[in-house]
Amino acid sequence: MAPKASKAIAVKHDEPHGYEFFGPPGAFAISFGLPLVVYAFTFLCNDISGCPVPSVLAPSTATIEQLKRDVGWPANGIYGLASWDATLKVIGYYSFSAILHRVLPGEEKLGVELASGGKLKYKFNTWSSTMVTFGILAAGTVYQGANFPVWTYIYDNFLQIATANILIAYFLATFVYVRSFSVKAGNSDLRELAAGGHSGNMLYDWFIGRELNPRVTLPLIGEIDIKEFMELRPGMMGWAILDFTFIARQYRSYGYVTDSILLVTAFQVLYILDSFWMENAILTTMDITTDGFGFMLSFGDLVWVPFVYSLQARYLATYPLSLGPLGTAGVLGVVSTGFYIFRSANNEKNRFRTDPNDPRVAHLKYIETKSGSRLLISGWWGMARHINYFGDWFQSWAYCLPTGVAGYLVQHSSTAPATGQSLANKSFVYSGPTEHTEVLQGSARGYGIIVTYFYVLYFAILLIHRERRDEAKCIRKYGDDWNKYREIVKYRIIPGIY
């Protein structure tokens, strides 16, 4: 059970927030457009015909039937996008994660003070849960190699697994929206509505999240904070598992693993494990303190993160580019710089918040607001108001650079090309039981950048938008004090530029 509030306070949200994401039209476009983007990446960059597929490279001569062949459209049409078997296995994956959350020991922390009074209790053991999960996967891989059934099943049913997660995201958003109407005044169970999530427009509130911290009690498992659980566990861990799947696929196809896919996976897994290790830092993020849990977060956590963020590893599973020592050193330099900025800035902020007398942060200058909060004006946070976003974005380049000038075509034949021919064309060949497959760049060279570098562009837009949302929140919270702070710390994200 959640801890009781010290006193009963009516649930109040008097501050006007207005619409975000362009209001209901934007909510509709995102809610029903982004799933199509996920499917587009899945179909238009594949190991069947190319990345992008030939029909996209020559749209004037393409036909619907040719496009269906190129993208590997299911034989039974739209019904082939999903399967009961894949859906049940995905639900099993979620259930296993919830069981680990329940049975493994963990650190318990109180969240920030709620607007209506009281603090929620959280249990953190994502790190140990991940180690158990990865340990099982590692044991299976040691025993069966790249043919471990988990890797082969995920790769062979990638489309159906993506669909299952999309459906779960829609279900969760609808479930918490309907359940939010049971939030009562008095706050005896520490439930409250998100400040920006009860506009009165059903679609918008369903999208943005009506209830701030929805929780549910599951049989034999106990209470789960839906938002905190989904934020880190299924999607973030799923991102790493998909990367591992693509490494296994590359090895099954070619008999080796390239430095490029190892680097991409190492960088991304480091980022994931870092967030798990610093799990309790999530309690002060906007996602937990401000945003409700609706389709925006459920889709982002469960679909967008694992299936879009793993695009580079998926690309390299089919086109095994080798970087060499110089390329590897360059990419390592990029990720090291970005990660250093990101982690150092966040550590500085968290140390100052938890213990301002810590010798590592005691020297920092700050201004104290009327609300009692302290805003740093020196150190990392004196350079830019969201300097951590800059480090986060900078290291994201290291996820994309290993794909090079991306793009490839896939050609199938009953006869393998000669070794000399393959090397001359910078192509890669692997053989199946009845045919040989050659992967070469050809006319697709450069066009695959739309897929493999999409993350850098998207992430820049995401961080700028998040910074604008946070800026609006801080203006509401601090008023004139925030204006004084902006006069001292002038830049938003990139010192001297933006």
Side-chain angles (χ1 to χ4, degrees):
M1 294 292 292
K4 300 296 184 182
S6 57
K7 55 183 179 178
I9 303 174
V11 179
K12 294 181 179 180
H13 297 281
D14 298 325
E15 288 185 274
H17 280 251
Y19 286 133
E20 298 181 81
F21 298 96
F22 303 103
F28 178 86
I30 294 172
S31 300
F32 301 100
L34 288 190
L36 297 180
V37 173
V38 173
Y39 281 128
F41 281 133
T42 301
F43 282 118
L44 299 179
C45 179
N46 59 45
D47 62 354
I48 299 170
S49 63
C51 181
V53 298
S55 297
V56 172
L57 296 175
S60 61
T61 59
T63 64
I64 294 298
E65 290 304 315
Q66 180 186 347
L67 179 62
K68 285 183 175 180
R69 288 193 300 270
D70 285 351
V71 303
W73 186 251
N76 54 342
I78 194 171
Y79 298 103
L81 298 179
S83 78
W84 281 110
D85 183 66
T87 302
L88 291 174
K89 283 183 170 61
V90 169
I91 293 173
Y93 163 69
Y94 281 71
S95 301
F96 179 67
S97 185
I99 292 170
L100 291 179
H101 174 70
R102 173 68 177 87
V103 302
L104 293 178
E107 178 186 25
E108 292 193 348
K109 290 279 189 178
L110 291 177
V112 299
E113 184 83 17
L114 296 172
S116 50
K119 296 181 180 182
L120 289 167
K121 183 183 291 185
Y122 294 85
K123 178 182 179 182
F124 295 117
N125 63 4
T126 300
W127 176 270
S128 57
S129 300
T130 302
M131 293 303 102
V132 170
T133 305
F134 284 5
I136 294 171
L137 295 174
T141 304
V142 168
Y143 181 66
Q144 295 181 294
N147 291 311
F148 181 43
V150 170
W151 308 136
T152 56
Y153 185 87
I154 292 175
Y155 192 87
D156 294 341
N157 296 272
F158 180 85
L159 173 63
Q160 291 74 24
I161 292 172
T163 299
N165 282 276
I166 291 172
L167 294 176
I168 291 172
Y170 278 115
F171 168 78
L172 273 179
T174 304
F175 171 77
V176 297
Y177 175 79
V178 172
R179 192 169 175 271
S180 70
F181 289 94
S182 64
V183 174
K184 304 297 183 183
N187 198 39
S188 61
D189 55 359
L190 297 181
R191 295 179 65 194
E192 65 177 48
L193 302 181
H198 52 110
S199 67
N201 182 280
M202 184 172 69
L203 173 63
Y204 179 81
D205 293 344
W206 170 85
F207 164 77
I208 205 73
R210 196 168 184 273
E211 186 172 353
L212 182 62
N213 299 111
R215 295 186 167 204
V216 64
T217 301
L218 301 176
L220 304 178
I221 292 176
E223 187 177 66
I224 295 284
D225 185 290
I226 297 175
K227 181 165 64 172
E228 190 274 333
F229 183 86
M230 299 300 170
E231 185 86 1
L232 290 180
R233 286 173 178 269
M236 289 282 280
M237 192 185 302
W239 176 12
I241 291 173
L242 284 176
D243 280 354
F244 299 153
T245 297
F246 299 135
I247 290 177
R249 168 63 181 183
Q250 189 187 83
Y251 186 81
R252 286 199 306 275
S253 297
Y254 299 102
Y256 59 85
V257 176
T258 58
D259 50 10
S260 57
I261 199 170
L262 288 177
L263 282 174
V264 166
T265 300
F267 298 156
Q268 294 180 349
V269 171
L270 173 64
Y271 182 88
I272 294 164
L273 292 181
D274 175 71
S275 67
F276 291 170
W277 184 256
M278 305 294 295
E279 183 179 13
N280 58 20
I282 195 177
L283 295 180
T284 59
T285 63
M286 181 184 290
D287 285 358
I288 298 297
T289 64
T290 306
D291 293 335
F293 186 79
F295 184 78
M296 178 182 73
L297 285 182
S298 66
F299 181 83
D301 293 341
L302 307 182
V303 182
W304 195 256
V305 167
F307 294 95
V308 173
Y309 288 15
S310 61
L311 280 172
Q312 296 83 17
R314 183 167 174 258
Y315 171 90
L316 293 168
T318 301
Y319 191 78
L321 180 67
S322 180
L323 300 177
L326 288 179
T328 298
V331 174
L332 285 173
V334 170
V335 76
S336 299
T337 302
F339 185 77
Y340 173 74
I341 296 171
F342 171 78
R343 179 44 56 207
S344 297
N346 281 334
N347 282 345
E348 183 179 85
K349 178 180 65 176
N350 289 329
R351 286 167 183 153
F352 187 79
R353 282 179 172 176
T354 56
D355 182 12
N357 295 318
D358 187 319
R360 292 170 290 185
V361 295
H363 64 285
L364 296 176
K365 297 178 182 179
Y366 60 87
I367 62 173
E368 189 159 352
T369 67
K370 298 181 182 68
S371 66
S373 299
R374 295 174 176 180
L375 303 176
L376 288 171
I377 58 172
S378 66
W380 283 110
W381 301 91
M383 298 180 187
R385 301 195 291 273
H386 293 84
I387 188 69
N388 57 330
Y389 289 179
F390 174 56
D392 212 0
W393 181 74
F394 195 85
Q395 68 178 318
S396 73
W397 277 91
Y399 302 169
C400 306
L401 290 172
T403 64
V405 183
Y408 62 76
L409 297 174
V410 180
Q411 299 177 354
H412 306 278
S413 67
S414 57
T415 304
T419 303
Q421 177 188 353
S422 174
L423 292 174
N425 292 329
K426 296 182 181 179
S427 62
F428 305 94
V429 180
Y430 62 92
S431 300
T434 59
E435 67 176 16
H436 299 281
T437 301
E438 182 180 10
V439 183
L440 69 163
Q441 291 207 290
S443 59
R445 177 179 168 82
Y447 290 100
I449 287 175
I450 298 170
V451 175
T452 63
Y453 287 77
F454 172 79
Y455 179 74
V456 169
L457 175 61
Y458 153 76
F459 202 43
I461 295 171
L462 172 71
L463 292 175
I464 291 171
H465 180 262
R466 183 180 294 172
E467 180 272 329
R468 294 302 176 102
R469 294 181 68 214
D470 191 58
E471 190 84 358
K473 182 195 75 171
C474 290
I475 290 172
R476 290 194 300 267
K477 182 177 180 180
Y478 300 118
D480 291 339
D481 289 327
W482 188 254
N483 292 327
K484 295 176 183 176
Y485 170 66
R486 290 193 297 184
E487 291 177 2
I488 300 172
V489 184
K490 299 182 181 298
Y491 295 102
R492 295 174 178 266
I493 298 176
I494 306 177
I497 297 177
Y498 176 74

